[in-house]
Amino acid sequence: MSLAVSPQRLEDGGVSDLWRQARLKWLDSTLALDDEVTRPFTPLKVQGRTVHCLGREVRFAASGFPESIRSNDREILAKPGSLVVEAAEGKVHWSEGRTDVRSSGPWSVIRETKLTAGGLSLDCRARMEFDGYIGYRVKLTAHSKTAVNDIRLEIPLRKEIAAYMMGLGRKGGYRPKVWKWVWDINRANNEVWIGEVKAGIQCQLKGPKEVWNMFDLKSEGIPKAWGNQGKGGCTITEEAEQVMIRAYSGERTLEPGDELWFNFALAVTPAKPLNPAHWDQRYYQQGYPEPGAVPVEQLVRSGATIVNIHQGNELNPYINYPFLTMDRLASYVNEVHAAGMKAKIYYTVRELSNRVAEMWALRSLGDEIFVDGPGGGGSWLREHLVSHYAPGWHQPLPDGEVDEAILQTGLSRWHNYYLEGLAYLLRKAEIDGLYLDGIGYDREVMKRVRKVLDRNRPGSLIDFHSGNEFPFHDLRISPANKYLELFPYIDSLWFGEGYNYNESPDYWLVEISGLPFGLFSDMLEGGGNPWRGMIYGMATRHFGNYDPSHIWKLWSSFKIQEAEMLGYWDPFCPVRTGRKDVLATVYKKKDSALISVASWSKDPVSVLLEIDWEALGQQAKTTRLTAPAIPGFQEAKTFSPEEKIPVDPAEGWLLILR
């Protein structure tokens, strides 16, 4: 046998031809694995024991734990946080800490503190990153036999900041005075967020190994230190003027040489200021129910500025593997760009189409890339893969074929391939970002995703959609909490299936709106509630029969992107209704204001708006409240500021004050 070697070199190493299997080298890619600070964040600034990041600052105590956390000039902590070791004779008193700053740069600051007390030592490593995330690795070592009643993390919060809560098995809303939680291997709900719109903090309890638990804790088990054979848990209690997060582990006896890792992470919210570009980011969601490519002329007529190309249609038929229809996709994206719009695609990691060209190479890696499961699913999977896989999404395609996906492991080298594939899509198809329907990776991968987007196509967007996972299989975890650590790198939210828009305003604010975390959101389920949505700056998307174009037109005519949003939750909101079940949000401009009013009352009511004219910079005698005609929303009407306004149940008004 002879082999002929051509002198011609392939410009891209053969990755343009899937049959060459050249993309397998992507599995070992280190693309974007660096320390660049991503937009819109600024480099960290260190002043003594205080570290500043965008809109927030953290001052570390001599113990290594935070003694002050500020967001938007609001102090979050009532007292310094601490790891308390309680022996029979009382709390252990640690020696004065010795801290070494191991690394300090624009990307992160690493502080290592050593504490001792009798036969115990504590090594506390805090790594604060530019997005306000602080990862703690805390090792407790016993040097002599020690019996303890409890080892617990205490984080005291100021009561006035701790208005809302979400997590530890509780859905989002007002914080209860007492909440109790225990570890459950079937639920990955070991985090809690407490705060208000301008300042808050998430605390996540972790094990010694960094993992990305999508639904449960079965892959690594309940952390030994925290769980302590069923004795561990967490309580949230209101105590005078503070609210205490107390993660306890219960009694145990430590033997000489025992090491326990009490790791946790803190994320300070909001991650970033709200972006006024939201008002110009108007989405057309195609792919469902349209199996084909929506004509670009139709997109333009809808008033949308961005189109999300879902999987399962002729442009992007194979889930999370868009490389087999690149020519079609690139041509369509080019048309969209010519019309002045952006185009993003469904492309993530969680499950992978059976059409993947590298299937057999990936299968040869055992359970590194694919979940080892019971088999089953569609006919192709049964005939070709037979066993040792778990079936995923099953999608009939417009051409009569079927896309049959199999599930992927939580974190693997496929994420390197995914990142290289994203860069390829940005260069070759010129997509403008990602539509993530669920996210199958952690914050370390997400940071790389953000950098790949920004470097290859500046202005690219990440749009995140999730259904309500709280009731799903009784997981009792809210997506706004589960994915919170990824929010610094995301541009918009779309929380959809399973959300109840008849829930109370506090639920809307915490679970759906995204506002406490620095993000705007859109509505989905049943088209949402347009009156209540505008209280939080939300509309639906152009999706199926849902047409938000009339609301979009009002946004444009009022130039809402130039306004300051002052919600009912803001003490400086200049308009009140005098009722807790009818709320008002003001979009304030220099010479006018748009007032959104929405009702949660079960009955028709009339409200007299309480207007702070000085705060608005206007005078009552020279103004009128005009309700512009909005089809499907309200009829045209004019009110005097002294006139009571009728509000029907679950409805409201958009009023322009001039």
Side-chain angles (χ1 to χ4, degrees):
M1 186 179 81
S2 62
L3 179 67
V5 179
S6 169
Q8 182 180 2
R9 292 178 61 89
L10 296 173
E11 291 183 6
D12 58 4
V15 298
S16 294
D17 301 317
L18 285 170
W19 62 269
R20 295 181 188 275
Q21 302 285 296
R23 299 187 187 191
L24 287 171
K25 64 184 178 183
W26 288 355
L27 293 174
D28 295 319
S29 172
T30 58
L31 181 66
L33 198 59
D34 54 53
D35 291 344
E36 180 185 337
V37 175
T38 65
R39 68 172 182 86
F41 300 99
T42 54
L44 290 175
K45 182 180 179 182
V46 181
Q47 293 179 310
R49 293 187 286 114
T50 302
V51 183
H52 302 263
C53 65
L54 181 67
R56 292 147 295 165
E57 65 179 51
V58 178
R59 186 171 71 249
F60 293 89
S63 65
F65 294 91
E67 68 178 15
S68 171
I69 299 177
R70 298 183 67 85
S71 179
N72 291 306
D73 292 327
R74 289 167 168 82
E75 177 60 58
I76 294 173
L77 297 185
K79 296 177 182 178
S82 60
L83 188 79
V84 176
V85 178
E86 187 176 297
E89 59 275 15
K91 293 181 182 179
V92 167
H93 295 285
W94 298 106
S95 64
E96 186 72 16
R98 186 191 78 249
T99 297
D100 296 319
V101 179
R102 296 296 185 188
S103 174
S104 180
W107 173 270
S108 67
V109 174
I110 299 175
R111 299 171 52 88
E112 294 182 352
T113 303
K114 181 83 170 183
L115 305 172
T116 58
L120 300 173
S121 63
L122 191 70
D123 294 279
C124 177
R125 181 183 187 271
R127 183 176 191 260
M128 180 170 172
E129 299 184 36
F130 64 88
D131 61 357
Y133 181 90
I134 313 167
Y136 270 94
R137 293 185 60 80
V138 181
K139 182 176 70 170
L140 179 68
T141 305
H143 303 288
S144 61
K145 187 172 182 177
T146 307
V148 297
N149 294 333
D150 193 17
I151 304 169
R152 61 182 179 268
L153 173 68
E154 292 187 349
I155 304 177
L157 309 177
R158 293 178 66 193
K159 182 179 175 181
E160 61 266 33
I161 292 295
Y164 302 95
M165 171 184 158
M166 169 178 58
L168 299 179
R170 180 178 173 85
K171 68 181 184 180
Y174 287 123
R175 171 190 52 79
K177 288 190 175 182
V178 177
W179 183 255
K180 299 178 181 180
W181 170 87
V182 294
W183 290 89
D184 182 346
I185 199 168
N186 296 305
R187 298 185 178 97
N189 58 5
N190 47 305
E191 64 262 312
V192 62
W193 173 84
I194 298 178
E196 45 107 336
V197 173
K198 294 293 186 180
I201 192 167
Q202 183 196 56
C203 178
Q204 182 181 29
L205 305 177
K206 294 189 167 192
K209 184 179 178 181
E210 288 290 334
V211 295
W212 180 243
N213 293 310
M214 290 291 289
F215 304 113
D216 55 47
L217 304 175
K218 294 178 181 178
S219 64
E220 299 295 325
I222 294 172
K224 173 185 174 182
W226 291 116
N228 192 17
Q229 299 180 334
K231 299 175 185 177
C234 188
T235 60
I236 309 296
T237 54
E238 185 175 307
E239 303 169 2
E241 294 306 309
Q242 70 179 23
V243 172
M244 180 69 79
I245 301 175
R246 188 175 281 113
Y248 61 89
S249 62
E251 62 179 2
R252 68 199 335 148
T253 298
L254 302 175
E255 299 292 341
D258 280 356
E259 293 182 350
L260 294 174
W261 289 91
F262 290 93
N263 295 349
F264 65 98
L266 303 176
V268 188
T269 63
K272 52 192 174 184
L274 292 170
N275 188 353
H278 159 74
W279 305 108
D280 295 314
Q281 294 169 356
R282 304 170 187 183
Y283 278 95
Y284 192 111
Q285 192 76 15
Q286 79 155 283
Y288 291 106
E290 304 95 346
V294 175
V296 174
E297 296 80 6
Q298 182 175 330
L299 299 179
V300 173
R301 288 196 303 271
S302 74
T305 59
I306 305 169
V307 57
N308 275 343
I309 302 170
H310 207 281
Q311 55 84 211
N313 58 64
E314 66 181 45
L315 298 172
N316 187 22
Y318 310 117
I319 192 165
N320 298 327
Y321 199 74
F323 307 112
L324 295 172
T325 53
M326 283 283 291
D327 290 343
R328 241 179 295 166
L329 177 63
S331 176
Y332 186 79
V333 170
N334 186 57
E335 287 186 57
V336 171
H337 288 166
M341 300 176 64
K342 289 189 173 186
K344 298 162 45 260
I345 71 165
Y346 181 118
Y347 176 59
T348 186
V349 179
R350 183 179 56 243
E351 55 201 335
L352 188 59
S353 170
N354 65 319
R355 305 298 180 97
V356 57
E358 298 88 355
M359 171 65 79
W360 305 114
L362 299 179
R363 282 276 282 176
S364 74
L365 299 175
D367 61 0
E368 179 187 351
I369 308 297
F370 296 129
V371 170
D372 186 357
S379 59
W380 190 96
L381 299 181
R382 294 172 182 270
E383 293 171 11
H384 293 82
L385 302 186
V386 183
S387 61
H388 294 289
Y389 68 91
W393 189 258
H394 183 92
Q395 178 67 55
L397 299 174
D399 61 4
E401 296 296 319
V402 177
D403 184 33
E404 302 178 33
I406 57 175
L407 300 183
Q408 296 175 275
T409 55
L411 291 173
S412 72
R413 285 189 296 159
W414 182 258
H415 290 81
N416 297 327
Y417 185 111
Y418 169 79
L419 288 159
E420 288 282 0
L422 174 58
Y424 187 82
L425 288 161
L426 291 163
R427 293 192 305 269
K428 300 296 184 180
E430 297 187 335
I431 62 170
D432 299 295
L434 295 172
Y435 168 71
L436 299 178
D437 189 350
I439 301 176
Y441 38 82
D442 64 1
R443 59 180 275 105
E444 296 305 318
V445 176
M446 178 59 86
K447 286 184 284 190
R448 296 172 68 187
V449 169
R450 183 75 264 171
K451 286 181 282 190
V452 169
L453 289 170
D454 293 347
R455 292 171 184 177
N456 286 274
R457 194 161 177 82
S460 291
L461 303 170
I462 299 177
D463 175 39
F464 173 49
H465 163 69
S466 177
N468 189 357
E469 295 180 10
F470 195 94
F472 181 70
H473 294 314
D474 198 27
L475 292 174
R476 301 183 197 174
I477 182 168
S478 306
N481 204 22
K482 173 179 176 177
Y483 297 100
L484 187 147
E485 65 185 70
L486 310 181
F487 285 1
Y489 309 99
I490 291 172
D491 295 287
S492 59
L493 301 174
W494 193 28
F495 289 147
E497 299 92 344
Y499 284 89
N500 182 359
Y501 293 116
N502 290 317
E503 288 271 10
S504 58
D506 56 318
Y507 177 86
W508 271 76
L509 182 63
V510 176
E511 286 264 11
I512 302 175
S513 78
L515 298 177
F517 316 114
L519 292 170
F520 281 107
S521 185
D522 292 320
M523 297 178 291
L524 189 157
E525 193 78 6
N529 181 303
W531 299 277
R532 293 173 180 172
M534 273 302 297
I535 292 286
Y536 306 96
M538 302 167 67
T540 187
R541 297 186 175 187
H542 204 294
F543 173 65
N545 295 323
Y546 309 137
D547 181 1
S549 60
H550 299 297
I551 296 291
W552 290 345
K553 288 175 182 176
L554 177 65
W555 291 1
S556 295
S557 63
F558 181 72
K559 296 183 179 178
I560 196 171
Q561 68 273 15
E562 300 175 1
E564 178 187 7
M565 182 181 183
L566 296 166
Y568 69 85
W569 55 87
D570 193 317
F572 298 104
C573 182
V575 178
R576 304 289 177 183
T577 68
R579 297 181 62 103
K580 293 183 178 180
D581 55 2
V582 180
L583 302 174
T585 288
V586 176
Y587 299 90
K588 177 188 171 186
K589 295 170 66 175
K590 184 177 180 180
D591 58 351
S592 61
L594 176 65
I595 302 172
S596 172
V597 177
S599 175
W600 276 263
S601 171
K602 296 179 180 179
D603 304 306
V605 297
S606 293
V607 298
L608 180 63
L609 298 184
E610 302 166 2
I611 301 175
D612 185 337
W613 295 102
E614 183 178 355
L616 285 176
Q618 299 189 45
Q619 297 181 359
K621 295 180 180 180
T622 58
T623 59
R624 283 290 181 270
L625 287 167
T626 302
I630 305 174
F633 188 98
Q634 66 188 21
E635 295 181 355
K637 197 171 179 66
T638 299
F639 298 97
S640 164
E642 293 82 21
E643 182 181 352
K644 283 194 171 184
I645 300 173
V647 186
D648 288 332
E651 294 189 9
W653 296 91
L654 280 173
L655 305 167
I656 296 177
L657 181 68
R658 283 196 176 97

